[in-house]
Amino acid sequence: MGAIITRFAPSPSGYLHLGHAASAAKAFGFAQDKGGICLLRIEDIDTTRCKPEFEQAIYEDLAWLGFTWPSPVRRQTDHLDEYANVINALRDKGLVYRCFKSRKELEADGTHPIVDTGLEQDLIASGKAFAWRLSLERTHKHLGDIYDKLTFLDHGQEVRARPDLLGDVILARKDIGTSYHVACCYDDYMQGVTDIVRGVDLLESTHIHRLLQELMGWPVPRYHHHALLVGTDGKRYSKTDKSLAIRAMRQSGATPNIILAQAKQLG
Ligand code: GLU
């Protein structure tokens, strides 16, 4: 087996909290156990929410927890042109369409109709906002039988990919120009990531990622989704819970060991 490469890929849209520390411990720990390396990647495509001070805090908090990572750190906003090329490649295959419906409109009627070219031109001219979505119907036609046979490994178990779980996902928003799905899969490919250790909250995304990997001819990493740390109330930790921010815990006297011990609870 070749060298193991994992990654920890936080978004600098808030301070890292206990749940992130546990997830980081899983990803860095996996690499360490296998004699591999764990990369750090900054997923900052959402420039409306991400801030330089949060990015700086990620470096400080992870270093304080005792993690080390190779330089340079990949920052997604440095690669927006490359993500645009991926979306163009999918558009050239005829698999992507403009969706003019707002989230509210979609909730009301639940469909993303592909509008005909004439109407589309009118809507573009009227300045109506749109997102680029991946058409599962066209993708299914494009891949034929392969579409129904895609699999990935999660903890070594073969899982049949179900891209339909998330429907026609957004590949690019008008204001952002890319999406988590495109940027993440492209980067995992570019960075040679062999093993993805991340929370089970992203399992549905993995089903779509497997499809993108197939469409783009990218290798399929092994997946290891882990359980999420939950509070005593059974709820997931979130960035809005300020008392669980690593830096707040540090200020109130917690040590890295106390924080990392929590990670051991994860399955
Ligand atoms: N950036 C994502 C997050 O903060 C994680 C992406 C991943 O691990 O694939 O939840």
Side-chain angles (χ1 to χ4, degrees):
M1 203 194 283
I4 297 286
I5 303 181
T6 65
R7 85 301 191 275
F8 180 58
S11 293
S13 56
Y15 291 115
L16 295 185
H17 57 68
L18 196 53
H20 290 109
S23 198
K26 284 276 175 195
F28 282 96
F30 185 95
Q32 196 175 23
D33 290 350
K34 311 265 179 193
I37 52 168
C38 182
L39 307 172
L40 174 62
R41 183 163 80 219
I42 302 295
E43 301 212 325
D44 60 349
I45 55 169
D46 189 345
T47 49
T48 60
R49 294 171 56 226
C50 294
K51 294 202 167 68
E53 73 225 52
F54 293 137
E55 181 180 334
Q56 208 45 49
I58 287 173
Y59 302 135
E60 284 169 25
D61 291 348
L62 290 178
W64 178 77
L65 285 168
F67 300 120
T68 54
W69 53 89
S71 292
V73 168
R74 188 174 176 95
R75 198 199 280 117
Q76 292 191 322
T77 45
D78 295 334
H79 301 275
L80 296 176
D81 292 354
E82 294 159 66
Y83 308 139
N85 289 339
V86 173
I87 294 160
N88 285 338
L90 295 170
R91 195 181 295 126
D92 289 348
K93 293 184 207 286
L95 305 178
V96 174
Y97 67 95
R98 281 190 184 87
C99 175
F100 291 90
K101 293 212 168 192
S102 68
R103 191 176 297 181
K104 262 198 182 142
E105 286 167 331
L106 285 174
E107 274 164 17
D109 59 24
T111 57
H112 324 287
I114 299 173
V115 294
D116 69 61
T117 344
L119 178 59
E120 192 170 64
Q121 290 313 319
D122 291 348
L123 287 168
I124 295 169
S126 75
K128 190 163 167 59
F130 62 83
W132 292 103
R133 286 186 187 270
L134 180 70
S135 164
L136 288 185
E137 195 188 318
R138 293 190 199 168
T139 301
H140 200 162
K141 272 196 198 125
H142 175 79
L143 289 176
D145 286 352
I146 294 172
Y147 181 96
D148 301 305
K149 294 188 181 140
L150 299 174
T151 58
F152 59 87
L153 292 177
D154 193 11
H155 296 282
Q157 298 286 326
E158 196 169 71
V159 179
R160 170 69 53 93
R162 293 268 319 275
D164 55 298
L165 291 176
L166 288 179
D168 287 0
V169 291
I170 291 183
L171 293 187
R173 260 166 51 179
K174 202 183 174 194
D175 53 344
I176 292 179
T178 183
S179 57
Y180 159 62
H181 301 302
V182 168
C184 169
C185 292
Y186 176 77
D187 284 356
D188 287 333
Y189 155 63
M190 286 301 286
Q191 297 188 284
V193 171
T194 59
D195 292 80
I196 296 183
V197 182
R198 65 181 175 199
V200 72
D201 54 327
L202 291 167
L203 179 58
E204 286 187 335
S205 294
T206 300
H207 290 256
I208 276 290
H209 295 183
R210 179 62 189 88
L211 185 61
L212 289 175
Q213 289 149 2
E214 188 67 22
L215 290 170
M216 296 304 297
W218 297 334
V220 183
R222 291 175 290 264
Y223 290 87
H224 313 268
H225 294 95
H226 62 73
L228 300 178
L229 209 57
V230 292
T232 42
D233 58 359
K235 288 208 185 110
R236 273 174 62 179
Y237 292 126
S238 89
K239 280 182 185 163
T240 49
D241 200 342
K242 301 221 169 9
S243 65
L244 293 169
I246 308 295
R247 50 193 43 218
M249 296 178 76
R250 175 166 119 200
Q251 275 151 17
S252 55
T255 62
N257 280 346
I258 292 175
I259 294 179
L260 292 173
Q262 306 270 354
K264 299 220 168 80
Q265 301 172 14
L266 291 185

PDB file of all heavy atoms in Angstrom, residues 248-260:
ATOM      1  N   ALA A 248     -11.847  29.329  24.112  1.00  0.00           N
ATOM      2  CA  ALA A 248     -12.537  29.651  25.371  1.00  0.00           C
ATOM      3  C   ALA A 248     -12.178  28.597  26.425  1.00  0.00           C
ATOM      4  O   ALA A 248     -11.931  28.921  27.593  1.00  0.00           O
ATOM      5  CB  ALA A 248     -14.038  29.696  25.142  1.00  0.00           C
ATOM      6  N   MET A 249     -12.125  27.337  26.000  1.00  0.00           N
ATOM      7  CA  MET A 249     -11.783  26.255  26.945  1.00  0.00           C
ATOM      8  C   MET A 249     -10.357  26.428  27.450  1.00  0.00           C
ATOM      9  O   MET A 249     -10.060  26.207  28.624  1.00  0.00           O
ATOM     10  CB  MET A 249     -11.944  24.900  26.264  1.00  0.00           C
ATOM     11  CG  MET A 249     -13.394  24.616  25.875  1.00  0.00           C
ATOM     12  SD  MET A 249     -13.587  23.057  25.009  1.00  0.00           S
ATOM     13  CE  MET A 249     -13.452  21.909  26.335  1.00  0.00           C
ATOM     14  N   ARG A 250      -9.489  26.834  26.514  1.00  0.00           N
ATOM     15  CA  ARG A 250      -8.087  27.058  26.860  1.00  0.00           C
ATOM     16  C   ARG A 250      -7.976  28.179  27.886  1.00  0.00           C
ATOM     17  O   ARG A 250      -7.257  28.051  28.870  1.00  0.00           O
ATOM     18  CB  ARG A 250      -7.384  27.427  25.565  1.00  0.00           C
ATOM     19  CG  ARG A 250      -5.981  27.821  25.641  1.00  0.00           C
ATOM     20  CD  ARG A 250      -5.435  27.781  24.225  1.00  0.00           C
ATOM     21  NE  ARG A 250      -4.969  29.058  23.759  1.00  0.00           N
ATOM     22  CZ  ARG A 250      -4.806  29.354  22.479  1.00  0.00           C
ATOM     23  NH1 ARG A 250      -5.151  28.481  21.539  1.00  0.00           N
ATOM     24  NH2 ARG A 250      -4.337  30.506  22.126  1.00  0.00           N
ATOM     25  N   GLN A 251      -8.720  29.264  27.645  1.00  0.00           N
ATOM     26  CA  GLN A 251      -8.672  30.393  28.582  1.00  0.00           C
ATOM     27  C   GLN A 251      -9.205  30.017  29.958  1.00  0.00           C
ATOM     28  O   GLN A 251      -8.795  30.564  30.963  1.00  0.00           O
ATOM     29  CB  GLN A 251      -9.437  31.593  28.016  1.00  0.00           C
ATOM     30  CG  GLN A 251      -8.578  32.430  27.084  1.00  0.00           C
ATOM     31  CD  GLN A 251      -9.368  33.149  26.005  1.00  0.00           C
ATOM     32  OE1 GLN A 251     -10.582  33.286  26.121  1.00  0.00           O
ATOM     33  NE2 GLN A 251      -8.691  33.578  24.943  1.00  0.00           N
ATOM     34  N   SER A 252     -10.139  29.047  29.973  1.00  0.00           N
ATOM     35  CA  SER A 252     -10.657  28.686  31.296  1.00  0.00           C
ATOM     36  C   SER A 252      -9.896  27.498  31.885  1.00  0.00           C
ATOM     37  O   SER A 252     -10.377  26.818  32.791  1.00  0.00           O
ATOM     38  CB  SER A 252     -12.170  28.447  31.234  1.00  0.00           C
ATOM     39  OG  SER A 252     -12.455  27.493  30.271  1.00  0.00           O
ATOM     40  N   GLY A 253      -8.682  27.254  31.360  1.00  0.00           N
ATOM     41  CA  GLY A 253      -7.769  26.327  32.022  1.00  0.00           C
ATOM     42  C   GLY A 253      -7.718  24.904  31.489  1.00  0.00           C
ATOM     43  O   GLY A 253      -6.992  24.079  32.028  1.00  0.00           O
ATOM     44  N   ALA A 254      -8.477  24.578  30.429  1.00  0.00           N
ATOM     45  CA  ALA A 254      -8.421  23.205  29.890  1.00  0.00           C
ATOM     46  C   ALA A 254      -7.055  22.968  29.238  1.00  0.00           C
ATOM     47  O   ALA A 254      -6.442  23.893  28.724  1.00  0.00           O
ATOM     48  CB  ALA A 254      -9.529  23.000  28.866  1.00  0.00           C
ATOM     49  N   THR A 255      -6.592  21.735  29.285  1.00  0.00           N
ATOM     50  CA  THR A 255      -5.319  21.396  28.636  1.00  0.00           C
ATOM     51  C   THR A 255      -5.634  20.644  27.348  1.00  0.00           C
ATOM     52  O   THR A 255      -6.733  20.083  27.202  1.00  0.00           O
ATOM     53  CB  THR A 255      -4.475  20.482  29.537  1.00  0.00           C
ATOM     54  OG1 THR A 255      -5.223  19.264  29.732  1.00  0.00           O
ATOM     55  CG2 THR A 255      -4.169  21.123  30.882  1.00  0.00           C
ATOM     56  N   PRO A 256      -4.667  20.587  26.413  1.00  0.00           N
ATOM     57  CA  PRO A 256      -4.908  19.815  25.185  1.00  0.00           C
ATOM     58  C   PRO A 256      -5.345  18.383  25.490  1.00  0.00           C
ATOM     59  O   PRO A 256      -6.233  17.841  24.848  1.00  0.00           O
ATOM     60  CB  PRO A 256      -3.562  19.855  24.467  1.00  0.00           C
ATOM     61  CG  PRO A 256      -2.925  21.124  24.934  1.00  0.00           C
ATOM     62  CD  PRO A 256      -3.382  21.307  26.361  1.00  0.00           C
ATOM     63  N   ASN A 257      -4.723  17.779  26.508  1.00  0.00           N
ATOM     64  CA  ASN A 257      -5.071  16.382  26.821  1.00  0.00           C
ATOM     65  C   ASN A 257      -6.523  16.217  27.238  1.00  0.00           C
ATOM     66  O   ASN A 257      -7.180  15.245  26.867  1.00  0.00           O
ATOM     67  CB  ASN A 257      -4.153  15.836  27.913  1.00  0.00           C
ATOM     68  CG  ASN A 257      -2.827  15.423  27.325  1.00  0.00           C
ATOM     69  OD1 ASN A 257      -2.712  15.307  26.100  1.00  0.00           O
ATOM     70  ND2 ASN A 257      -1.833  15.237  28.177  1.00  0.00           N
ATOM     71  N   ILE A 258      -6.995  17.172  28.026  1.00  0.00           N
ATOM     72  CA  ILE A 258      -8.402  17.092  28.463  1.00  0.00           C
ATOM     73  C   ILE A 258      -9.301  17.160  27.237  1.00  0.00           C
ATOM     74  O   ILE A 258     -10.255  16.389  27.085  1.00  0.00           O
ATOM     75  CB  ILE A 258      -8.740  18.246  29.446  1.00  0.00           C
ATOM     76  CG1 ILE A 258      -7.994  18.040  30.762  1.00  0.00           C
ATOM     77  CG2 ILE A 258     -10.250  18.345  29.671  1.00  0.00           C
ATOM     78  CD1 ILE A 258      -8.162  19.176  31.763  1.00  0.00           C
ATOM     79  N   ILE A 259      -8.968  18.093  26.333  1.00  0.00           N
ATOM     80  CA  ILE A 259      -9.803  18.266  25.142  1.00  0.00           C
ATOM     81  C   ILE A 259      -9.712  17.030  24.232  1.00  0.00           C
ATOM     82  O   ILE A 259     -10.722  16.512  23.754  1.00  0.00           O
ATOM     83  CB  ILE A 259      -9.395  19.560  24.395  1.00  0.00           C
ATOM     84  CG1 ILE A 259      -9.728  20.763  25.289  1.00  0.00           C
ATOM     85  CG2 ILE A 259     -10.105  19.660  23.054  1.00  0.00           C
ATOM     86  CD1 ILE A 259      -9.372  22.114  24.735  1.00  0.00           C
ATOM     87  N   LEU A 260      -8.492  16.529  24.049  1.00  0.00           N
ATOM     88  CA  LEU A 260      -8.327  15.404  23.113  1.00  0.00           C
ATOM     89  C   LEU A 260      -8.888  14.098  23.668  1.00  0.00           C
ATOM     90  O   LEU A 260      -9.263  13.205  22.901  1.00  0.00           O
ATOM     91  CB  LEU A 260      -6.853  15.259  22.728  1.00  0.00           C
ATOM     92  CG  LEU A 260      -6.357  16.438  21.884  1.00  0.00           C
ATOM     93  CD1 LEU A 260      -4.853  16.373  21.656  1.00  0.00           C
ATOM     94  CD2 LEU A 260      -7.100  16.484  20.546  1.00  0.00           C
TER      95      LEU A 260
END
